Amino acid sequence: MAWNRSLPKRSAPPQGFPSSRAIYREERSSGHFVKTPTSPLQFQPVFTMNGTGQTKSSNQFLGSKVEVTKTATDGPAETKGNTGSDTANITMKEAVEYLSSAEETYQHCGASYIQHNTFINEKAKDEVLKFKGIHPLVDLLRSQSSPVNETSSAALRNLSFKSISNKEEIHRSGGITEAVALLRETDSVETQTQLTGLLWNLSSVDSLKPDLLKSALPVLMERVILPYTKGHDRTNSSSRDPEVFCNATACLRNLSSTKQSNRQAMRKCRGLVDSLVSYVKECVDAGNPDDKSVENCVCILHNLTFQLEAEAPALFSRITALAKTVCRTSSEGDTGPIGCFSPQKESSAHERRFDYPVVEDPQPNGAGFLIHSSTLQNYLSLLATSQREETQEACCGALQNLTTNDSIVSGVMSQNIVQKLKGLHFISPLIKSPKVNIQRNTVALVGNLTKNPNLHIAIVHKALPELLGILSAGTKEGNESDDTLSMACQTSNCLLMNKPEMGKHLVNSTLISSLNDLSKNTHLPKSSKSASVLLYNLWSDKDLQGFLKKQGMSKSSFVNDITTAAHKSVQVVE
């Protein structure tokens, strides 16, 4: 039996599923413009979260190509001061012309007008582009006036929201270079907020990511990530604003989500992974699992674990070196990676010879934290405590990525999760999650863990009841996920075939009836085939067949034209 995937297929236990969910986010600024340049300007900024990205998943790690959708936002804030006849009464063309004025008051007025109008009117963004206003706004990032810096940054941030053409024009105008230069110099928290928000928006365009990695990543590390996670005054609210850190991590979240070269650059970035892990742990320990930046941090860590074993094999040198020693000293006929995790071995003996804590770095640093048990423990804690679906998805996805291969490394990581960290206590309840993505990812993760035969006993006890529970419910509770039901069938098949005595008491007429319904469901082709194979195999096992007969069940419920055809097709593939 094999799982449907483009990679080489093998018989049970099923092959692993990597997590490939990339998450994009965008944000913009808002503001209310209140006075003409004939008198001192009063500008009351309002900064609201204004967009979240949609995602798509595939067997390859791909970024989202869809537009960003808005969420509900607060309306423009009421302004302070006179808002009557003094309200600016200029056109967009005039506002753009003001940007090139020698007078800072006019520069500020033009930038403020653009910032406000591009927040309340999408068409205003096209007008600014048409009147060639983006280049002078970028030039104003070099202004000696802090209000002009801040307002120009905010205007560019709004212009870049949900507009590919404006993002590209900002890039062509040197916007990344100027924004990074200003971020390096400014101590204004408000300006930092606008600049990091701008970089966040720009980071959703794949073509801009190389420049952002080269120019922005070092400065974001120097001015935001390290000070906010390692600095002595990181908890000082007067000099630190959590929105700045949130914007910066959202930018890095986007940068981590595409090419291998991007992931490699970020894994090698000094202090990055350490800082992200430190921030997540701090929030977990403080009972703050739903912090917005925690979501960003675990999404970055999730992305950086994608294809980690292939892209950063040096991280696993301790594991692979010991594995070679174990395999050489194992009994005759048990050589090679599969031999080290052979189901014929007693798990207790295996644990004595190949104990993960022995090979774990006691003082990890950098990318080493991506595979360390302390990081995995944070993921498990967040699975149990966070109410944010994307945080849970990212944690589950990271665990999937670390256990997806048919290798010693994935076997050891699975063993660490289940045996050392008691991870099934956190994972198994999510098999019943009403959130479709969470349930699917959790079932895939359990399937990955099942590839290690030494964990079958624990998984049968902790997870098989939940797996069979969702199969018994079938589609009656609105679970129409073909992938989820198919993976549940395949993992259940593996466990029941390997541990029939332990699992047979969970098999009942309700389950068999539901599996028969699934086997005939042409709308769920993967589930239909997997349910058919599971039924056929249940009857083919002599011990299970005897048990089923005692329960009053007959052969026709298990072996028929549908299940026989599915069984034969799997045999041909294998």
Side-chain angles (χ1 to χ4, degrees):
M1 179 195 68
W3 285 18
N4 186 14
R5 187 184 173 193
S6 60
L7 297 180
K9 304 188 179 195
R10 63 188 295 267
S11 58
Q15 64 188 44
F17 270 69
S19 171
S20 58
R21 185 170 176 79
I23 302 171
Y24 284 122
R25 296 173 61 100
E26 281 200 64
E27 182 177 78
R28 69 173 176 180
S29 159
S30 68
H32 202 85
F33 174 73
V34 297
K35 288 202 175 187
T36 66
T38 56
S39 60
L41 289 167
Q42 296 184 23
F43 183 69
Q44 181 70 16
V46 184
F47 310 113
T48 58
M49 294 293 290
N50 197 259
T52 60
Q54 300 178 359
T55 65
K56 71 177 180 181
S57 241
S58 70
N59 282 333
Q60 304 243 338
F61 194 84
L62 298 176
S64 170
K65 300 298 183 184
V66 296
E67 267 296 346
V68 174
T69 57
K70 290 185 184 178
T71 59
T73 63
D74 296 330
E78 291 188 7
T79 58
K80 299 178 181 179
N82 186 359
T83 61
S85 59
D86 288 335
T87 300
N89 186 22
I90 60 175
T91 66
M92 183 61 76
K93 188 173 186 299
E94 290 171 324
V96 170
E97 290 172 352
Y98 285 177
L99 301 177
S100 300
S101 170
E103 296 287 336
E104 289 180 355
T105 301
Y106 277 85
Q107 295 170 359
H108 189 206
C109 173
S112 299
Y113 181 90
I114 292 170
Q115 179 189 3
H116 173 62
N117 280 275
T118 52
F119 178 76
I120 63 173
N121 184 1
E122 291 293 317
K123 293 182 180 179
K125 299 175 186 178
D126 297 329
E127 287 187 285
V128 176
L129 184 62
K130 181 177 72 173
F131 293 131
K132 303 187 184 304
I134 289 179
H135 200 292
L137 275 172
V138 170
D139 288 342
L140 289 180
L141 296 180
R142 296 195 298 267
S143 172
Q144 297 302 306
S145 166
S146 294
V148 171
N149 286 158
E150 179 187 325
T151 310
S152 300
S153 301
L156 288 166
R157 179 176 168 187
N158 278 358
L159 283 162
S160 64
F161 176 79
K162 206 175 179 181
S163 174
I164 298 294
S165 56
N166 282 349
K167 291 171 186 172
E168 291 173 342
E169 181 62 22
I170 290 170
H171 181 231
R172 282 192 293 269
S173 301
I176 293 177
T177 301
E178 296 300 338
V180 168
L182 180 57
L183 181 60
R184 179 183 280 114
E185 298 171 1
T186 185
D187 290 321
S188 165
V189 173
E190 294 297 339
T191 302
Q192 289 175 349
T193 302
Q194 301 301 342
L195 291 168
T196 51
L198 169 61
L199 294 172
W200 173 1
N201 282 354
L202 296 177
S203 68
S204 67
V205 180
D206 286 349
S207 62
L208 306 188
K209 290 181 180 181
D211 280 353
L212 286 165
L213 276 168
K214 181 179 179 180
S215 303
L217 177 57
V219 178
L220 287 172
M221 287 297 302
E222 174 191 345
R223 298 291 289 160
V224 182
I225 304 300
L226 291 174
Y228 277 68
T229 57
K230 303 292 186 182
H232 295 297
D233 59 344
R234 65 183 186 278
T235 58
N236 185 348
S237 59
S238 63
S239 61
R240 298 285 180 262
D241 187 329
E243 188 172 0
V244 175
F245 185 75
C246 182
N247 291 350
T249 52
C251 174
L252 298 181
R253 173 175 170 176
N254 284 349
L255 295 182
S256 68
S257 65
T258 48
K259 297 180 180 180
Q260 175 180 339
S261 58
N262 294 10
R263 295 193 295 274
Q264 292 286 47
M266 295 182 72
R267 289 171 188 143
K268 294 176 181 178
C269 179
R270 187 179 180 89
L272 174 58
V273 175
D274 315 57
S275 297
L276 300 177
V277 170
S278 173
Y279 184 85
V280 171
K281 184 179 188 306
E282 186 175 293
C283 289
V284 168
D285 291 347
N288 190 21
D290 295 321
D291 178 84
K292 291 182 292 186
S293 294
V294 166
E295 179 186 312
N296 288 334
C297 289
V298 294
C299 284
I300 297 168
L301 295 171
H302 165 211
N303 290 347
L304 296 185
T305 62
F306 184 71
Q307 296 183 342
L308 184 62
E309 187 178 347
E311 295 176 2
L315 290 177
F316 304 95
S317 57
R318 285 171 176 254
I319 297 175
T320 53
L322 184 55
K324 291 177 181 178
T325 302
V326 170
C327 291
R328 281 197 299 268
T329 58
S330 61
S331 61
E332 184 178 354
D334 284 328
T335 58
I338 300 301
C340 292
F341 287 94
S342 171
Q344 280 72 37
K345 293 188 183 306
E346 293 296 328
S347 61
S348 58
H350 168 76
E351 289 169 34
R352 286 197 299 271
R353 293 196 313 273
F354 202 64
D355 193 9
Y356 184 69
V358 173
V359 295
E360 185 171 49
D361 191 340
Q363 293 183 314
N365 63 81
F369 272 108
L370 293 173
I371 63 172
H372 199 266
S373 60
S374 60
T375 306
L376 273 56
Q377 182 64 68
N378 287 334
Y379 295 150
L380 294 170
S381 297
L382 288 170
L383 284 177
T385 60
S386 179
Q387 299 301 308
R388 297 180 76 93
E389 184 170 355
E390 290 187 351
T391 297
Q392 290 182 308
E393 281 191 57
C395 291
C396 193
L399 297 174
Q400 276 180 260
N401 285 343
L402 293 172
T403 58
T404 190
N405 296 322
D406 297 316
S407 66
I408 284 290
V409 167
S410 285
V412 171
M413 299 306 294
S414 296
Q415 187 172 304
N416 190 26
I417 292 167
V418 173
Q419 294 178 337
K420 179 181 180 182
L421 303 177
K422 311 300 180 186
L424 290 175
H425 173 75
F426 305 93
I427 295 166
S428 295
L430 294 178
I431 293 174
K432 297 180 179 179
S433 173
K435 301 172 183 176
V436 174
N437 289 336
I438 296 294
Q439 184 183 59
R440 181 178 60 245
N441 291 351
T442 304
V443 172
L445 173 58
V446 174
N448 286 357
L449 299 176
T450 304
K451 292 190 284 89
N452 186 330
N454 296 307
L455 306 179
H456 284 180
I457 293 176
I459 298 172
V460 167
H461 281 304
K462 295 287 189 179
L464 184 58
E466 283 72 18
L467 290 171
L468 295 181
I470 63 175
L471 291 177
S472 294
T475 60
K476 296 174 184 176
E477 296 182 2
N479 186 347
E480 300 291 340
S481 172
D482 196 16
D483 285 335
T484 299
L485 293 172
S486 177
M487 289 186 291
C489 284
Q490 293 175 62
T491 302
S492 298
N493 181 74
C494 175
L495 295 170
L496 288 168
M497 293 301 101
N498 283 279
K499 300 294 178 183
E501 287 300 316
M502 294 183 62
K504 66 182 182 182
H505 70 282
L506 299 171
V507 179
N508 53 46
S509 59
T510 301
L511 171 65
I512 300 306
S513 176
S514 180
L515 288 173
N516 269 283
D517 289 342
L518 275 178
S519 71
K520 301 168 187 174
N521 193 329
T522 57
H523 298 292
L524 301 173
K526 296 178 184 178
S527 301
S528 174
K529 183 175 182 178
S530 297
S532 297
V533 171
L534 175 54
L535 286 167
Y536 189 97
N537 287 344
L538 286 172
W539 193 260
S540 299
D541 185 280
K542 291 185 178 180
D543 291 334
L544 285 172
Q545 184 183 124
F547 172 80
L548 296 170
K549 286 179 177 179
K550 289 180 181 180
Q551 303 303 310
M553 301 182 201
S554 62
K555 180 178 180 179
S556 60
S557 296
F558 301 87
V559 181
N560 51 53
D561 290 345
I562 295 175
T563 62
T564 301
H567 175 72
K568 287 181 178 179
S569 70
V570 171
Q571 296 297 104
V572 169
V573 171
E574 292 179 354

